[in-house]
Amino acid sequence: WRLIHNTSAFLYFFFYPLTIFLFAHFNRKYISYSDWKQKVIISISMAVLPMILISLFKGMAIAEIAHTIMVIIYNIKLSLDD
């Protein structure tokens, strides 16, 4: 079960921010500069911040909480853009 958990967690924590980053990268001509900048910053923060926190707080799930907060911020930003 540990292999399944680690593989799915890696795929989620890596590909979710990568998808947002690639969306912003490929659509940079069609979205405003501020919107593009926010998407890039949020996607990079989703990937980098948990990696930093994993090394600081071993076994405390702080990295997962930070990632979840970044996902919530991104979703709120999407809902306010409409």
Side-chain angles (χ1 to χ4, degrees):
W1 292 111
R2 182 175 219 157
L3 176 66
I4 293 170
H5 171 265
N6 290 343
T7 304
S8 60
F10 170 77
L11 292 174
Y12 172 72
F13 284 106
F14 180 72
F15 282 112
Y16 190 75
L18 180 65
T19 305
I20 296 169
F21 181 82
L22 290 175
F23 169 77
H25 175 72
F26 290 128
N27 292 303
R28 65 184 178 273
K29 294 178 185 177
Y30 308 109
I31 58 178
S32 67
Y33 176 75
S34 63
D35 197 32
W36 173 82
K37 184 173 67 171
Q38 290 172 358
K39 284 181 181 5
V40 168
I41 289 171
I42 289 173
S43 66
I44 291 172
S45 298
M46 277 185 202
V48 174
L49 185 63
M51 287 183 192
I52 293 170
L53 294 176
I54 280 176
S55 62
L56 295 176
F57 303 99
K58 295 187 188 290
M60 296 178 65
I62 302 295
E64 289 84 355
I65 292 170
H67 177 81
T68 303
I69 290 170
M70 296 305 296
V71 170
I72 291 169
I73 290 170
Y74 179 70
N75 287 326
I76 289 172
K77 186 202 168 324
L78 282 180
S79 68
L80 294 177
D81 283 346
D82 292 338

Coordinates of all heavy atoms in Angstrom, one line a residue:
W1 N 0.8 -1.2 0.0 CA 0.0 0.0 0.0 C 0.9 1.3 0.0 O 0.4 2.3 -0.5 CB -0.9 0.0 1.2 CG -2.0 -1.1 1.1 CD1 -2.1 -2.2 1.9 CD2 -3.1 -1.1 0.1 NE1 -3.2 -2.9 1.5 CE2 -3.8 -2.3 0.4 CE3 -3.5 -0.3 -0.9 CZ2 -4.9 -2.7 -0.3 CZ3 -4.6 -0.7 -1.6 CH2 -5.3 -1.8 -1.3
R2 N 2.0 1.1 0.6 CA 2.9 2.3 0.7 C 3.3 2.7 -0.7 O 3.4 3.9 -1.0 CB 4.1 2.0 1.6 CG 5.0 3.2 1.7 CD 6.1 2.9 2.7 NE 6.3 4.1 3.4 CZ 6.9 4.2 4.6 NH1 7.3 3.1 5.2 NH2 7.0 5.3 5.2
L3 N 3.6 1.8 -1.6 CA 4.0 2.1 -3.0 C 2.9 2.8 -3.7 O 3.2 3.8 -4.4 CB 4.5 0.8 -3.7 CG 4.8 1.0 -5.2 CD1 6.1 1.9 -5.3 CD2 5.0 -0.3 -5.8
I4 N 1.7 2.3 -3.5 CA 0.6 2.9 -4.2 C 0.4 4.4 -3.7 O 0.2 5.3 -4.5 CB -0.7 2.1 -4.0 CG1 -0.6 0.8 -4.7 CG2 -2.0 2.9 -4.5 CD1 -1.7 -0.2 -4.4
H5 N 0.4 4.6 -2.4 CA 0.3 5.9 -1.8 C 1.4 6.8 -2.3 O 1.1 8.0 -2.7 CB 0.3 5.8 -0.3 CG 0.4 7.2 0.4 ND1 1.6 7.7 0.8 CD2 -0.6 8.0 0.7 CE1 1.3 8.9 1.3 NE2 0.0 9.1 1.2
N6 N 2.6 6.4 -2.2 CA 3.7 7.3 -2.6 C 3.7 7.6 -4.1 O 4.0 8.8 -4.5 CB 5.1 6.6 -2.2 CG 5.3 6.6 -0.8 OD1 4.7 7.3 0.0 ND2 6.2 5.7 -0.3
T7 N 3.3 6.7 -4.9 CA 3.2 6.9 -6.4 C 2.1 7.9 -6.7 O 2.3 8.9 -7.4 CB 3.0 5.6 -7.1 OG1 4.1 4.7 -6.8 CG2 3.0 5.9 -8.6
S8 N 0.9 7.7 -6.1 CA -0.2 8.6 -6.4 C 0.0 9.9 -5.8 O -0.3 11.0 -6.4 CB -1.5 8.0 -5.9 OG -1.4 7.7 -4.5
A9 N 0.7 10.0 -4.6 CA 1.0 11.3 -4.0 C 2.0 12.1 -4.8 O 1.8 13.3 -5.0 CB 1.5 11.1 -2.6
F10 N 3.0 11.4 -5.3 CA 4.0 12.1 -6.2 C 3.3 12.6 -7.4 O 3.6 13.7 -7.8 CB 5.1 11.1 -6.5 CG 6.0 11.7 -7.6 CD1 7.0 12.6 -7.3 CD2 5.9 11.2 -8.9 CE1 7.8 13.1 -8.2 CE2 6.7 11.7 -9.9 CZ 7.7 12.7 -9.5
L11 N 2.5 11.8 -8.1 CA 1.9 12.2 -9.3 C 1.0 13.4 -9.1 O 0.9 14.3 -9.9 CB 1.1 11.0 -9.9 CG 1.9 9.9 -10.4 CD1 1.0 8.7 -10.9 CD2 2.8 10.3 -11.6
Y12 N 0.2 13.4 -8.0 CA -0.7 14.5 -7.7 C 0.1 15.8 -7.3 O -0.1 16.8 -7.9 CB -1.6 14.2 -6.5 CG -2.4 15.3 -6.0 CD1 -3.5 15.8 -6.8 CD2 -2.1 16.0 -4.8 CE1 -4.2 16.9 -6.4 CE2 -2.9 17.1 -4.4 CZ -3.9 17.5 -5.2 OH -4.6 18.6 -4.8
F13 N 1.1 15.7 -6.4 CA 1.8 16.8 -6.0 C 2.7 17.4 -7.1 O 3.1 18.5 -7.1 CB 2.6 16.5 -4.8 CG 1.8 16.5 -3.5 CD1 1.5 15.3 -2.9 CD2 1.3 17.7 -3.0 CE1 0.7 15.3 -1.8 CE2 0.5 17.7 -1.8 CZ 0.2 16.4 -1.2
F14 N 3.1 16.6 -8.1 CA 3.9 17.0 -9.2 C 3.1 17.5 -10.4 O 3.3 18.5 -10.9 CB 4.9 15.9 -9.6 CG 5.8 16.3 -10.7 CD1 6.8 17.2 -10.5 CD2 5.6 15.8 -12.0 CE1 7.7 17.6 -11.6 CE2 6.4 16.2 -13.0 CZ 7.5 17.1 -12.8
F15 N 2.1 16.7 -10.8 CA 1.4 17.0 -12.0 C 0.3 18.1 -11.9 O 0.0 18.7 -12.9 CB 0.8 15.7 -12.6 CG 1.9 14.9 -13.4 CD1 2.2 13.7 -12.9 CD2 2.5 15.4 -14.5 CE1 3.2 12.9 -13.5 CE2 3.4 14.6 -15.2 CZ 3.8 13.4 -14.7
Y16 N -0.2 18.2 -10.7 CA -1.2 19.3 -10.6 C -0.6 20.7 -10.8 O -1.1 21.4 -11.6 CB -1.9 19.2 -9.2 CG -3.1 20.1 -9.1 CD1 -4.3 19.7 -9.7 CD2 -3.1 21.2 -8.3 CE1 -5.4 20.5 -9.6 CE2 -4.2 22.0 -8.2 CZ -5.4 21.7 -8.8 OH -6.5 22.5 -8.7
P17 N 0.5 21.0 -10.1 CA 1.1 22.3 -10.4 C 1.7 22.4 -11.8 O 1.7 23.4 -12.4 CB 2.3 22.4 -9.3 CG 2.0 21.4 -8.3 CD 1.1 20.3 -9.0
L18 N 2.2 21.3 -12.3 CA 2.8 21.3 -13.7 C 1.7 21.6 -14.7 O 1.9 22.3 -15.6 CB 3.4 19.9 -14.0 CG 4.0 19.8 -15.4 CD1 5.2 20.7 -15.5 CD2 4.5 18.4 -15.6
T19 N 0.5 21.0 -14.5 CA -0.6 21.3 -15.4 C -1.0 22.8 -15.4 O -1.2 23.4 -16.4 CB -1.8 20.4 -15.0 OG1 -1.4 19.1 -15.0 CG2 -3.0 20.6 -16.0
I20 N -1.0 23.4 -14.2 CA -1.4 24.8 -14.1 C -0.3 25.6 -14.8 O -0.6 26.6 -15.5 CB -1.5 25.2 -12.6 CG1 -2.7 24.5 -12.0 CG2 -1.7 26.7 -12.5 CD1 -2.8 24.6 -10.5
F21 N 1.0 25.3 -14.5 CA 2.1 26.0 -15.1 C 2.0 25.9 -16.7 O 2.2 26.9 -17.4 CB 3.4 25.4 -14.6 CG 4.6 26.1 -15.2 CD1 5.0 27.3 -14.6 CD2 5.3 25.6 -16.3 CE1 6.1 28.0 -15.1 CE2 6.4 26.3 -16.8 CZ 6.8 27.5 -16.2
L22 N 1.8 24.7 -17.2 CA 1.8 24.5 -18.6 C 0.6 25.2 -19.2 O 0.7 25.8 -20.3 CB 1.7 23.0 -19.0 CG 3.0 22.2 -18.7 CD1 2.8 20.7 -19.0 CD2 4.1 22.7 -19.5
F23 N -0.6 25.2 -18.5 CA -1.7 26.0 -19.0 C -1.4 27.5 -19.1 O -1.7 28.1 -20.2 CB -2.9 25.8 -18.0 CG -4.0 26.7 -18.3 CD1 -4.9 26.5 -19.3 CD2 -4.2 27.9 -17.5 CE1 -6.0 27.4 -19.6 CE2 -5.3 28.7 -17.7 CZ -6.1 28.5 -18.8
A24 N -0.7 28.0 -18.1 CA -0.3 29.4 -18.2 C 0.7 29.7 -19.3 O 0.7 30.7 -20.0 CB 0.2 29.9 -16.8
H25 N 1.6 28.7 -19.4 CA 2.7 28.9 -20.4 C 2.1 28.9 -21.9 O 2.5 29.7 -22.7 CB 3.7 27.8 -20.3 CG 4.8 27.8 -21.3 ND1 5.8 28.8 -21.3 CD2 5.0 27.0 -22.4 CE1 6.6 28.6 -22.4 NE2 6.1 27.5 -23.0
F26 N 1.3 27.9 -22.1 CA 0.8 27.8 -23.5 C -0.3 28.8 -23.9 O -0.5 29.0 -25.0 CB 0.3 26.4 -23.8 CG 1.3 25.3 -23.8 CD1 1.3 24.2 -23.0 CD2 2.4 25.5 -24.6 CE1 2.3 23.2 -23.1 CE2 3.5 24.5 -24.7 CZ 3.4 23.4 -23.9
N27 N -0.9 29.4 -22.8 CA -2.0 30.4 -23.1 C -1.6 31.8 -22.7 O -2.4 32.7 -22.6 CB -3.2 30.0 -22.3 CG -3.9 28.7 -22.8 OD1 -4.2 28.7 -24.0 ND2 -4.0 27.7 -22.0
R28 N -0.3 32.0 -22.7 CA 0.2 33.4 -22.2 C -0.2 34.5 -23.2 O -0.3 35.6 -22.9 CB 1.7 33.3 -22.0 CG 2.5 33.1 -23.2 CD 4.0 33.0 -22.8 NE 4.8 32.7 -23.9 CZ 5.1 31.5 -24.4 NH1 4.6 30.4 -23.8 NH2 5.9 31.3 -25.5
K29 N -0.5 34.1 -24.5 CA -0.9 35.1 -25.5 C -2.4 35.5 -25.3 O -2.8 36.5 -25.7 CB -0.7 34.6 -26.9 CG 0.7 34.4 -27.3 CD 0.8 33.8 -28.7 CE 2.2 33.5 -29.0 NZ 2.3 32.8 -30.4
Y30 N -3.1 34.6 -24.6 CA -4.6 34.8 -24.6 C -5.1 35.3 -23.2 O -6.2 35.6 -23.0 CB -5.3 33.5 -24.9 CG -4.8 32.9 -26.2 CD1 -4.0 31.8 -26.3 CD2 -5.1 33.6 -27.4 CE1 -3.6 31.3 -27.5 CE2 -4.7 33.1 -28.6 CZ -3.9 31.9 -28.7 OH -3.5 31.5 -29.9
I31 N -4.2 35.3 -22.2 CA -4.6 35.7 -20.8 C -3.8 37.0 -20.5 O -2.7 37.2 -21.1 CB -4.4 34.6 -19.8 CG1 -2.9 34.1 -19.7 CG2 -5.3 33.5 -20.0 CD1 -2.7 33.1 -18.6
S32 N -4.3 37.7 -19.6 CA -3.6 39.0 -19.2 C -2.3 38.7 -18.5 O -2.1 37.6 -18.0 CB -4.5 39.8 -18.3 OG -4.7 39.2 -17.1
Y33 N -1.4 39.7 -18.5 CA -0.1 39.5 -17.9 C -0.3 39.2 -16.4 O 0.4 38.3 -15.9 CB 0.8 40.7 -18.1 CG 2.1 40.6 -17.4 CD1 3.1 39.7 -17.9 CD2 2.3 41.3 -16.2 CE1 4.3 39.6 -17.2 CE2 3.6 41.1 -15.6 CZ 4.5 40.3 -16.1 OH 5.7 40.2 -15.4
S34 N -1.1 39.9 -15.7 CA -1.3 39.7 -14.3 C -1.8 38.3 -14.0 O -1.4 37.7 -13.0 CB -2.1 40.8 -13.6 OG -3.4 40.7 -14.2
D35 N -2.8 37.9 -14.8 CA -3.3 36.5 -14.6 C -2.3 35.5 -14.9 O -2.2 34.5 -14.1 CB -4.5 36.4 -15.5 CG -5.4 35.2 -15.2 OD1 -5.5 34.9 -13.9 OD2 -6.0 34.6 -16.1
W36 N -1.5 35.7 -15.9 CA -0.4 34.7 -16.2 C 0.6 34.7 -15.1 O 1.0 33.6 -14.6 CB 0.3 35.2 -17.5 CG 1.5 34.4 -17.8 CD1 1.6 33.2 -18.4 CD2 2.9 34.7 -17.5 NE1 2.9 32.7 -18.5 CE2 3.7 33.7 -17.9 CE3 3.5 35.8 -16.9 CZ2 5.1 33.7 -17.8 CZ3 4.8 35.9 -16.7 CH2 5.6 34.8 -17.2
K37 N 1.0 35.9 -14.6 CA 2.0 35.9 -13.5 C 1.4 35.2 -12.2 O 2.2 34.5 -11.6 CB 2.3 37.4 -13.2 CG 3.4 37.6 -12.1 CD 3.8 39.0 -12.0 CE 2.6 39.8 -11.4 NZ 3.0 41.2 -11.0
Q38 N 0.2 35.4 -11.9 CA -0.4 34.8 -10.7 C -0.4 33.3 -10.9 O -0.1 32.5 -9.9 CB -1.8 35.3 -10.5 CG -1.8 36.7 -10.0 CD -3.2 37.3 -9.9 OE1 -4.2 36.7 -10.3 NE2 -3.3 38.6 -9.5
K39 N -0.8 32.8 -12.0 CA -0.8 31.3 -12.3 C 0.5 30.7 -12.2 O 0.7 29.6 -11.6 CB -1.5 31.0 -13.6 CG -3.0 31.2 -13.6 CD -3.5 30.8 -15.0 CE -5.0 30.9 -15.2 NZ -5.8 31.5 -14.2
V40 N 1.5 31.4 -12.7 CA 2.9 30.9 -12.7 C 3.4 30.9 -11.2 O 4.0 29.9 -10.8 CB 3.8 31.7 -13.6 CG1 5.3 31.4 -13.3 CG2 3.5 31.4 -15.0
I41 N 3.2 31.9 -10.5 CA 3.6 32.0 -9.1 C 2.9 31.0 -8.2 O 3.6 30.3 -7.4 CB 3.4 33.4 -8.5 CG1 4.4 34.4 -9.2 CG2 3.6 33.5 -7.0 CD1 4.1 35.9 -8.9
I42 N 1.6 30.8 -8.4 CA 0.9 29.8 -7.6 C 1.4 28.4 -8.0 O 1.6 27.6 -7.1 CB -0.6 29.9 -7.8 CG1 -1.1 31.2 -7.1 CG2 -1.4 28.7 -7.3 CD1 -2.6 31.5 -7.4
S43 N 1.6 28.1 -9.2 CA 2.0 26.7 -9.6 C 3.4 26.4 -9.1 O 3.6 25.3 -8.7 CB 1.9 26.6 -11.1 OG 2.8 27.4 -11.8
I44 N 4.3 27.4 -9.2 CA 5.6 27.2 -8.7 C 5.6 27.0 -7.2 O 6.3 26.1 -6.6 CB 6.6 28.3 -9.1 CG1 6.8 28.2 -10.7 CG2 7.9 28.2 -8.4 CD1 7.6 29.4 -11.2
S45 N 4.8 27.8 -6.5 CA 4.7 27.7 -5.0 C 4.1 26.4 -4.6 O 4.5 25.8 -3.6 CB 3.8 28.8 -4.5 OG 4.3 30.1 -4.8
M46 N 3.1 25.8 -5.4 CA 2.6 24.5 -5.1 C 3.6 23.4 -5.1 O 3.5 22.4 -4.4 CB 1.5 24.2 -6.1 CG 0.1 24.7 -5.8 SD -1.0 24.0 -7.1 CE -2.3 25.2 -7.0
A47 N 4.6 23.6 -6.0 CA 5.7 22.5 -6.1 C 6.8 22.8 -5.1 O 7.3 21.9 -4.5 CB 6.2 22.5 -7.5
V48 N 7.3 24.0 -5.0 CA 8.5 24.3 -4.3 C 8.3 24.4 -2.8 O 9.0 23.9 -2.0 CB 9.1 25.6 -4.8 CG1 10.3 26.1 -4.0 CG2 9.6 25.4 -6.2
L49 N 7.2 25.1 -2.3 CA 6.9 25.3 -0.9 C 6.8 24.0 -0.2 O 7.4 23.8 0.9 CB 5.7 26.1 -0.7 CG 5.3 26.5 0.7 CD1 6.4 27.4 1.3 CD2 4.0 27.2 0.7
P50 N 6.1 23.0 -0.6 CA 6.0 21.7 0.1 C 7.4 21.0 0.1 O 7.7 20.4 1.2 CB 5.0 20.8 -0.7 CG 4.1 21.8 -1.4 CD 5.0 23.0 -1.7
M51 N 8.2 21.1 -0.9 CA 9.5 20.5 -0.8 C 10.4 21.1 0.2 O 11.1 20.4 0.9 CB 10.2 20.6 -2.2 CG 9.7 19.8 -3.2 SD 10.6 19.9 -4.7 CE 9.6 19.1 -5.9
I52 N 10.3 22.4 0.4 CA 11.1 23.1 1.5 C 10.5 22.7 2.8 O 11.3 22.4 3.7 CB 11.0 24.6 1.3 CG1 11.7 25.1 0.0 CG2 11.5 25.4 2.5 CD1 11.4 26.5 -0.4
L53 N 9.2 22.6 3.0 CA 8.6 22.3 4.3 C 8.8 20.8 4.6 O 8.8 20.5 5.8 CB 7.1 22.7 4.2 CG 6.8 24.2 4.1 CD1 5.3 24.4 4.0 CD2 7.4 24.9 5.3
I54 N 8.9 19.9 3.7 CA 9.2 18.5 4.0 C 10.5 18.4 4.7 O 10.6 17.6 5.7 CB 9.2 17.7 2.7 CG1 7.8 17.4 2.3 CG2 9.9 16.3 2.9 CD1 7.6 16.6 1.0
S55 N 11.5 19.1 4.3 CA 12.8 19.0 5.0 C 12.8 19.7 6.3 O 13.6 19.3 7.2 CB 13.9 19.6 4.1 OG 13.7 21.0 3.9
L56 N 11.9 20.7 6.5 CA 11.9 21.3 7.8 C 11.0 20.6 8.9 O 11.4 20.6 10.0 CB 11.3 22.8 7.7 CG 12.2 23.7 6.8 CD1 11.5 25.0 6.7 CD2 13.6 23.9 7.5
F57 N 9.9 20.0 8.4 CA 9.0 19.4 9.3 C 8.8 17.9 8.9 O 7.8 17.6 8.2 CB 7.6 20.1 9.3 CG 7.7 21.6 9.7 CD1 7.7 22.5 8.7 CD2 7.7 21.9 11.0 CE1 7.7 23.9 9.0 CE2 7.8 23.3 11.3 CZ 7.8 24.2 10.3
K58 N 9.6 17.1 9.3 CA 9.5 15.7 8.9 C 8.4 15.0 9.7 O 8.3 15.0 10.9 CB 10.9 15.0 9.3 CG 12.0 15.5 8.5 CD 13.2 14.7 8.7 CE 14.4 15.3 8.0 NZ 14.5 15.3 6.6
G59 N 7.5 14.4 8.8 CA 6.4 13.6 9.4 C 5.3 14.3 10.0 O 4.5 13.8 10.8
M60 N 5.2 15.6 9.7 CA 4.1 16.4 10.4 C 3.0 16.9 9.4 O 2.1 17.6 9.8 CB 4.7 17.6 11.1 CG 5.7 17.3 12.2 SD 6.4 18.7 13.0 CE 5.0 19.5 13.7
A61 N 3.1 16.5 8.2 CA 2.1 16.8 7.2 C 1.9 18.3 6.9 O 0.9 18.8 6.4 CB 0.7 16.2 7.5
I62 N 2.9 19.1 7.3 CA 2.9 20.6 7.1 C 3.0 20.8 5.6 O 2.3 21.7 5.0 CB 4.0 21.3 7.8 CG1 3.9 21.0 9.3 CG2 4.0 22.8 7.5 CD1 2.7 21.5 10.0
A63 N 3.8 20.1 4.9 CA 4.0 20.2 3.4 C 2.6 20.0 2.7 O 2.3 20.7 1.8 CB 5.1 19.3 2.9
E64 N 1.9 19.0 3.1 CA 0.6 18.7 2.5 C -0.4 19.8 2.8 O -1.2 20.1 1.9 CB 0.1 17.3 3.0 CG 0.9 16.1 2.4 CD 2.1 15.8 3.2 OE1 2.5 16.6 4.2 OE2 2.8 14.8 2.9
I65 N -0.3 20.3 4.0 CA -1.3 21.4 4.3 C -0.9 22.6 3.5 O -1.8 23.3 3.0 CB -1.2 21.7 5.9 CG1 -1.8 20.5 6.6 CG2 -1.9 23.0 6.2 CD1 -1.5 20.5 8.1
A66 N 0.4 22.9 3.3 CA 0.8 24.1 2.5 C 0.3 23.9 1.1 O -0.2 24.9 0.5 CB 2.3 24.3 2.6
H67 N 0.4 22.7 0.5 CA 0.0 22.4 -0.8 C -1.5 22.6 -0.9 O -2.0 23.2 -1.9 CB 0.4 21.0 -1.3 CG -0.1 20.7 -2.6 ND1 0.6 21.1 -3.7 CD2 -1.1 20.0 -3.0 CE1 -0.1 20.7 -4.8 NE2 -1.1 20.0 -4.4
T68 N -2.2 22.1 0.1 CA -3.7 22.2 0.0 C -4.1 23.7 0.1 O -5.1 24.1 -0.6 CB -4.3 21.4 1.2 OG1 -3.9 20.1 1.1 CG2 -5.8 21.5 1.2
I69 N -3.4 24.5 0.9 CA -3.8 25.9 1.0 C -3.5 26.6 -0.3 O -4.3 27.4 -0.8 CB -3.0 26.6 2.1 CG1 -3.5 26.1 3.5 CG2 -3.0 28.1 2.0 CD1 -2.6 26.5 4.7
M70 N -2.4 26.2 -1.0 CA -2.2 26.8 -2.3 C -3.2 26.4 -3.4 O -3.6 27.2 -4.2 CB -0.8 26.4 -2.8 CG 0.4 26.9 -2.0 SD 0.4 28.7 -1.8 CE 0.6 29.2 -3.4
V71 N -3.7 25.1 -3.3 CA -4.8 24.7 -4.2 C -6.1 25.5 -3.9 O -6.8 25.9 -4.8 CB -5.0 23.2 -4.0 CG1 -6.3 22.7 -4.7 CG2 -3.9 22.4 -4.5
I72 N -6.4 25.7 -2.6 CA -7.6 26.5 -2.2 C -7.4 27.9 -2.8 O -8.4 28.5 -3.3 CB -7.8 26.5 -0.7 CG1 -8.2 25.1 -0.3 CG2 -8.8 27.5 -0.3 CD1 -8.2 24.8 1.2
I73 N -6.3 28.5 -2.6 CA -6.1 29.9 -3.1 C -6.3 29.9 -4.6 O -6.9 30.8 -5.2 CB -4.7 30.4 -2.7 CG1 -4.6 30.6 -1.2 CG2 -4.3 31.6 -3.5 CD1 -3.2 30.9 -0.7
Y74 N -5.7 28.9 -5.3 CA -5.9 28.8 -6.8 C -7.4 28.7 -7.2 O -7.9 29.4 -8.1 CB -5.1 27.7 -7.4 CG -5.2 27.6 -8.8 CD1 -4.7 28.5 -9.7 CD2 -5.9 26.5 -9.4 CE1 -4.8 28.4 -11.1 CE2 -6.1 26.4 -10.8 CZ -5.5 27.3 -11.6 OH -5.7 27.2 -13.0
N75 N -8.1 27.9 -6.5 CA -9.5 27.7 -6.8 C -10.4 28.9 -6.5 O -11.3 29.3 -7.2 CB -10.1 26.5 -6.0 CG -9.6 25.2 -6.6 OD1 -9.4 25.1 -7.8 ND2 -9.4 24.2 -5.8
I76 N -10.0 29.6 -5.4 CA -10.7 30.9 -5.1 C -10.4 31.9 -6.1 O -11.3 32.6 -6.6 CB -10.3 31.4 -3.7 CG1 -10.9 30.5 -2.6 CG2 -10.8 32.8 -3.5 CD1 -10.4 30.8 -1.2
K77 N -9.2 32.0 -6.6 CA -8.8 32.9 -7.6 C -9.6 32.6 -8.9 O -10.1 33.5 -9.6 CB -7.3 32.8 -7.9 CG -6.9 33.9 -8.9 CD -5.6 33.5 -9.5 CE -5.2 34.3 -10.7 NZ -6.3 34.8 -11.6
L78 N -9.7 31.3 -9.3 CA -10.5 30.9 -10.5 C -11.9 31.3 -10.3 O -12.5 31.8 -11.3 CB -10.4 29.4 -10.7 CG -9.1 28.9 -11.3 CD1 -9.2 27.4 -11.5 CD2 -8.9 29.5 -12.7
S79 N -12.5 31.1 -9.2 CA -13.9 31.4 -9.0 C -14.2 32.9 -9.0 O -15.2 33.4 -9.4 CB -14.5 30.8 -7.7 OG -13.9 31.5 -6.6
L80 N -13.2 33.7 -8.6 CA -13.4 35.2 -8.6 C -13.2 35.8 -10.0 O -13.6 36.9 -10.3 CB -12.5 35.8 -7.6 CG -12.7 35.5 -6.1 CD1 -11.7 36.2 -5.2 CD2 -14.1 36.0 -5.7
D81 N -12.5 35.1 -10.9 CA -12.2 35.6 -12.2 C -13.4 35.6 -13.1 O -13.5 36.3 -14.1 CB -11.1 34.7 -12.9 CG -9.7 35.1 -12.4 OD1 -9.6 36.1 -11.7 OD2 -8.8 34.3 -12.7
D82 N -14.4 34.7 -12.8 CA -15.6 34.7 -13.6 C -16.5 35.8 -13.5 O -16.7 36.8 -13.3 CB -16.4 33.4 -13.3 CG -15.7 32.2 -13.7 OD1 -14.8 32.3 -14.6 OD2 -16.0 31.1 -13.2

